[in-house]
Amino acid sequence: MDARLNLFSNPVAGKFLKYVVSAGKAIADSTLPASTRELVLLRASQINGCSVCVDMHTKDAAAAGETPLRLHLVAAWREATVFTEAERAALELAEQGTRTADGNGGVPDEVWANAAKHYDEDQLAGLVGTIAIINAFNRINIITQQPAGDYVPGMFG
């Protein structure tokens, strides 16, 4: 499969992506645990069906020490016993923040309150930013049909 648009050679796409990546780096430097961030990135990408991001974030999480069991169970986190209550709250926030077009009326107060029990304001800002950025990347990759499977951890910086 060939991509519809080469995001790396197009000057407009390159400039746009530079800013989105920069925003992601600001979140990576936050106090939000990296393992939580990777789980959220993976779950939102699964929901959106973004194969490039599922490939990338599965491999990045594994390279950072995430276990295969937890990676396999992200899609079924509600029934899995391998996630902490804080991670479960982050995954629920990610799902609600990603499924806004499903007519759910936005993120319910109880979902936000549960996340706020486990994360401070800076970490919540990191979660919100992570969810927003991954949804943007998912849409960019889906619209332009970026192929998946060739990602190597660290290849983008």
Side-chain angles (χ1 to χ4, degrees), residues 125-142:
L127 276 170
V128 170
T130 298
I131 295 163
I133 289 169
I134 195 57
N135 275 281
F137 272 121
N138 291 166
R139 281 146 179 80
I140 292 164
N141 289 323
I142 291 166

Side-chain angles (χ1 to χ4, degrees), residues 38-155:
E38 285 298 333
L39 294 173
V40 165
L41 293 168
L42 177 56
R43 185 62 189 129
S45 299
Q46 289 172 335
I47 291 166
N48 288 324
C50 181
S51 60
V52 172
C53 291
V54 168
D55 180 37
M56 175 186 294
H57 297 297
T58 300
K59 290 174 180 175
D60 281 347
E66 191 59 73
T67 68
L69 176 64
R70 283 170 44 96
L71 292 174
H72 291 304
L73 289 174
V74 168
W77 65 267
R78 283 181 180 80
E79 296 82 20
T81 60
V82 297
F83 301 106
T84 67
E85 288 303 312
E87 290 168 335
R88 296 167 76 73
L91 290 165
E92 177 69 11
L93 185 63
E95 285 193 4
Q96 294 294 324
T98 298
R99 296 184 186 274
T100 57
D102 291 352
N104 63 5
V107 175
D109 290 339
E110 55 273 7
V111 171
W112 180 262
N114 190 35
K117 286 191 314 191
H118 300 284
Y119 299 99
D120 63 28
E121 279 199 9
D122 288 345
Q123 293 168 325
L124 287 169
L127 276 170
V128 170
T130 298
I131 295 163
I133 289 169
I134 195 57
N135 275 281
F137 272 121
N138 291 166
R139 281 146 179 80
I140 292 164
N141 289 323
I142 291 166
I143 292 166
T144 61
Q145 292 185 343
Q146 298 299 312
D150 296 329
Y151 179 75
V152 176
M155 71 185 275

